[in-house]
Amino acid sequence: MRRFPKEFSELLKPHVAPRGDAPFFATSDLIAPAMAASAFALLERHLAPALKPLARAIPPETIANQTRNYQERLPKTVRNRAADIDGTRSKAAKLAAEIGLARMLSSPSYFAFAQMLAGRKLDPAFGRQVLRYGPGDYAGPHTDHHPEEPRARDGYFDLHISFANKAAKRQLLIYAQEGHLDRAVDVAGPATIAAYRLPFWHYTTPLEGGRDAARWVILGTFLYA
């Protein structure tokens, strides 16, 4: 595969994706292994040079400034590489257009698929981003709640399409349901499609595997209509 297909539906096996009622759910049986490997290679070969490091470590003052027992407050921490692919001006956006990724994410079938998983009408204007997790990369506990943004304060929807290589052995998405971080899904398979009805508490564990382990995430962020 030299370019992503024009329609997102061409990436999928010919059956309907599930839709659940949980805040988070994932499936790994919608994209054929050969298609997943081709998509991973396409991203790795063309988009990797345009990614920028994204790293937010735990601030030392979260311990040094603590004055009472059990006073911990952990801001969002993360380590991976990322790039926005909206528009046409950035290097990443231009590369995404060259390999057909931007066109596929603008296809009617992609929007219809996202709306089906969300279970609600979505705003047709949405954000697009790519992430790449390498060995040990992770995203710490966070909620993705944006109370200062009027259209997002009551929730929004994320669609993640990820492709991992054979060196990637495991990466868990841990999420809370009924108040406890006790649900886990391995998202390091060859191809995983995950739906997030945000906000809710969740985190992504460090990517396990050899030094060549990698997992790409194509991320769409949708406001509700």
Side-chain angles (χ1 to χ4, degrees):
M1 184 170 70
R2 295 183 179 180
R3 290 169 62 86
F4 282 92
K6 292 181 180 180
E7 282 289 340
F8 175 71
S9 56
E10 298 175 45
L11 198 69
L12 304 177
K13 294 178 182 178
H15 64 78
V16 178
R19 181 168 68 85
D21 296 323
F24 170 84
F25 58 95
T27 179
S28 59
D29 63 352
L30 297 182
I31 299 175
M35 182 70 81
S38 293
F40 178 90
L42 199 56
L43 293 166
E44 194 79 355
R45 185 165 59 247
H46 294 278
L47 264 179
L51 301 182
K52 296 182 179 180
L54 177 60
R56 300 191 196 104
I58 299 173
E61 57 268 24
T62 58
I63 295 177
N65 293 351
Q66 186 172 332
T67 59
R68 300 194 306 273
N69 297 343
Y70 310 112
Q71 193 185 17
E72 293 88 350
R73 294 293 184 272
L74 179 65
K76 182 179 178 178
T77 59
V78 65
R79 186 178 63 209
N80 56 39
R81 295 170 63 205
D84 288 328
I85 56 173
D86 285 331
T88 59
R89 305 183 68 176
S90 71
K91 180 180 179 181
K94 291 177 181 176
L95 292 171
E98 288 176 7
I99 62 175
L101 178 59
R103 180 182 59 185
M104 186 185 76
L105 297 181
S106 298
S107 67
S109 60
Y110 177 76
F111 183 75
F113 182 82
Q115 195 158 250
M116 178 186 66
L117 292 179
R120 293 175 57 179
K121 289 186 177 181
L122 301 175
D123 191 320
F126 57 93
R128 303 163 183 85
Q129 186 181 20
V130 290
L131 310 174
R132 185 185 185 277
Y133 290 90
D137 287 352
Y138 73 102
H142 61 286
T143 65
D144 284 321
H145 185 31
H146 297 285
E148 295 178 298
E149 299 178 22
R151 293 203 56 200
R153 67 175 53 155
D154 294 324
Y156 59 100
F157 178 75
D158 265 8
L159 174 60
H160 292 197
I161 304 160
S162 74
F163 303 103
N165 61 6
K166 292 182 180 180
K169 299 304 181 186
R170 187 174 71 158
Q171 189 169 38
L172 299 180
L173 191 292
I174 311 293
Y175 65 99
Q177 196 164 350
E178 299 180 356
H180 292 279
L181 287 161
D182 59 359
R183 307 297 174 96
V185 176
D186 188 357
V187 291
T192 303
I193 294 177
Y196 297 68
R197 296 190 184 100
L198 298 160
F200 60 92
W201 278 102
H202 60 286
Y203 65 94
T204 308
T205 63
L207 179 63
E208 301 175 35
R211 64 181 182 180
D212 296 325
R215 183 173 78 94
W216 282 85
V217 180
I218 301 170
L219 190 156
T221 297
F222 299 81
L223 294 171
Y224 295 117

